Amino acid sequence: MMISVVVPCYNEEAALPRFLDALRQTASDLFAEFGCDTELLFVDDGSRDGTLSVLRDAARNETAIRYLSFSRNFGKEAAMYAGLQRARGDYVAIMDADLQHPPSMLREMVSVLRTGEYDCAAARRVSRTGEPPLRSFFSRRFYRLMNRISDTEVVEGACDFRMMTRRVVEAILSLREYNRFSKGIFSWVGFRTKWLPFENQERVAGETKWSFWGLFVYAIQGIVGFSTVPLVFVALLGVLLCAGAFLMVLYIIIKTLLFGDPVGGWPSMACMVMFLGGVQLFCMGILGEYLAKTYLEVKRRPIYVLSETSEDAEKNRNF
Ligand code: UDP
Ligand code: MG
């Protein structure tokens, strides 16, 4: 029996040595307790620092360590997809390279999956200590909104740290969409998931790749990817405005019949034109967002491009 741990890495040179130490320890604990082997599959997401050379060294010395390297930065979603595609284990875990996801939880996850009751064991952050308050606030709003307008439930605090069986991995891989929003994808595929709570940890080294704006765009991507309610909202808004316009026409006709037609009212007209222009552009923006995503999907571009793998490197050495 084998466990694969997929680790997306983008500029993690500083954190990797400590991560490797921690995972070696965990792997030997897992072996001692469950008798299972652990393979570490790192996905270098086009890092610009020494991440790749750290990985090359590690893979050269230990057969349990493998890596894939992207030709450029494709994002964590793409890195997770690539890792899941190439993982060989019976159980596959995904975790971050910055030790924000406690490796000791892998043990707990294995024991949950081994009971056969669950197909997936996932970590859920129960505290947000160390996070800017504004970010926590918007993040909560996002989960609220998302769960209200989408059929796919997104659990608050759910993170990508999880372990799943082969069957779940196959299901996730069968969703080949280009705009990947894993929180939604994990939930969309279903299966019985056991949530394991954990406290937020600080990064051991390096810094987060997420800016506020980056998170905002990611949230929009999640909404567009898993809900079409904004389109219905646009249509409803159109109907409401039409109804308003109809009432106004009635009002003007009656007023003109009763009191004649003195010139005036152009400032209100100007405001109205501007308001309607704004509403139309806003709605077109929403439509455009869906159209843009459709455009990207129909191009059927690959989710990532590899530039090197540990298997290639080994072949070259033997050549
Ligand atoms: N990551 C990645 N590609 C990216 C951004 C991040 O593979 O474009 C990896 C990163 O190396 C880390 C994980 O995704 O292992 C989570 O990133 P980060 O710690 O920056 O996010 P946070 O924990 O702050 O949400
Ligand atoms: Mg992190």
Side-chain angles (χ1 to χ4, degrees):
M1 159 121 174
M2 183 157 84
I3 296 169
S4 298
V5 182
V6 171
V7 191
C9 308
Y10 178 52
N11 295 343
E12 299 286 5
E13 183 184 14
L16 272 180
R18 288 168 72 178
F19 179 82
L20 280 166
D21 283 341
L23 262 285
R24 281 190 194 104
Q25 182 57 45
T26 313
S28 68
D29 291 349
L30 288 178
F31 186 75
E33 189 171 351
F34 304 105
C36 50
D37 293 319
T38 305
E39 81 164 353
L40 293 181
L41 176 54
F42 290 92
V43 186
D44 164 41
D45 186 10
S47 301
R48 266 176 282 225
D49 63 355
T51 302
L52 184 56
S53 53
V54 174
L55 295 179
R56 279 193 193 123
D57 286 343
R60 193 174 308 138
N61 300 326
E62 287 165 74
T63 49
I65 297 180
R66 295 162 61 211
Y67 67 84
L68 312 170
S69 181
F70 287 178
S71 58
R72 65 168 171 84
N73 181 245
F74 280 88
K76 186 184 178 189
E77 300 289 339
M80 291 194 288
Y81 185 78
L84 290 180
Q85 259 185 340
R86 306 227 165 191
R88 299 172 181 153
D90 304 289
Y91 293 165
V92 183
I94 301 178
M95 72 191 288
D96 286 0
D98 53 9
L99 287 178
Q100 277 186 309
H101 297 157
S104 56
M105 282 182 77
L106 288 175
R107 208 209 121 259
E108 215 177 322
M109 291 179 172
V110 177
S111 52
V112 166
L113 293 190
R114 275 170 60 109
T115 60
E117 293 274 317
Y118 296 95
D119 301 287
C120 188
R124 212 182 120 235
R125 233 167 25 154
V126 288
S127 71
R128 290 178 169 273
T129 41
E131 193 182 60
L134 197 67
R135 187 171 291 194
S136 304
F137 172 78
F138 278 107
S139 162
R140 283 212 188 90
R141 295 285 107 199
F142 167 71
Y143 285 113
R144 268 276 184 76
L145 178 70
M146 187 76 188
N147 285 326
R148 192 164 293 169
I149 66 175
S150 167
D151 294 336
T152 311
E153 197 204 356
V154 184
V155 176
E156 172 152 14
C159 54
D160 299 330
F161 182 26
R162 55 177 60 227
M163 186 182 287
M164 47 215 154
T165 57
R166 242 322 86 211
R167 195 165 282 168
V168 182
V169 173
E170 297 304 333
I172 291 173
L173 291 177
S174 71
L175 269 71
R176 266 182 282 273
E177 61 216 69
Y178 185 76
N179 294 292
R180 302 190 76 76
F181 179 72
S182 358
K183 284 181 207 298
I185 290 177
F186 289 145
S187 157
W188 189 91
V189 296
F191 293 101
R192 285 153 304 172
T193 302
K194 168 111 175 162
W195 293 101
L196 308 171
F198 81 108
E199 298 280 322
N200 195 29
Q201 313 278 324
E202 301 274 343
R203 226 173 201 285
V204 287
E207 54 194 49
T208 177
K209 315 302 179 300
W210 289 103
S211 61
F212 188 79
W213 179 244
L215 279 174
F216 182 74
V217 171
Y218 185 62
I220 300 276
Q221 181 167 331
I223 291 173
V224 174
F226 283 89
S227 170
T228 47
V229 170
L231 293 173
V232 178
F233 168 77
V234 164
L236 274 180
L237 193 64
V239 171
L240 277 180
L241 284 175
C242 284
F246 181 71
L247 290 179
M248 257 147 75
V249 167
L250 274 185
Y251 167 75
I252 288 170
I253 290 176
I254 292 170
K255 199 176 118 193
T256 312
L257 288 179
L258 292 182
F259 306 107
D261 185 21
V263 180
W266 70 266
S268 55
M269 183 81 94
C271 294
M272 213 110 79
V273 168
M274 197 120 126
F275 170 70
L276 286 182
V279 169
Q280 280 173 344
L281 282 182
F282 172 70
C283 295
M284 264 164 66
I286 294 184
L287 277 177
E289 199 55 38
Y290 282 90
L291 187 65
K293 294 289 184 243
T294 314
Y295 176 57
L296 287 175
E297 293 293 347
V298 295
K299 286 207 257 194
R300 291 243 144 261
R301 285 187 180 164
I303 294 169
Y304 60 90
V305 177
L306 286 179
S307 70
E308 182 183 327
T309 68
S310 46
E311 283 80 28
D312 297 344
E314 193 168 326
K315 254 185 234 149
N316 284 342
R317 269 201 301 283
N318 297 334
F319 184 56

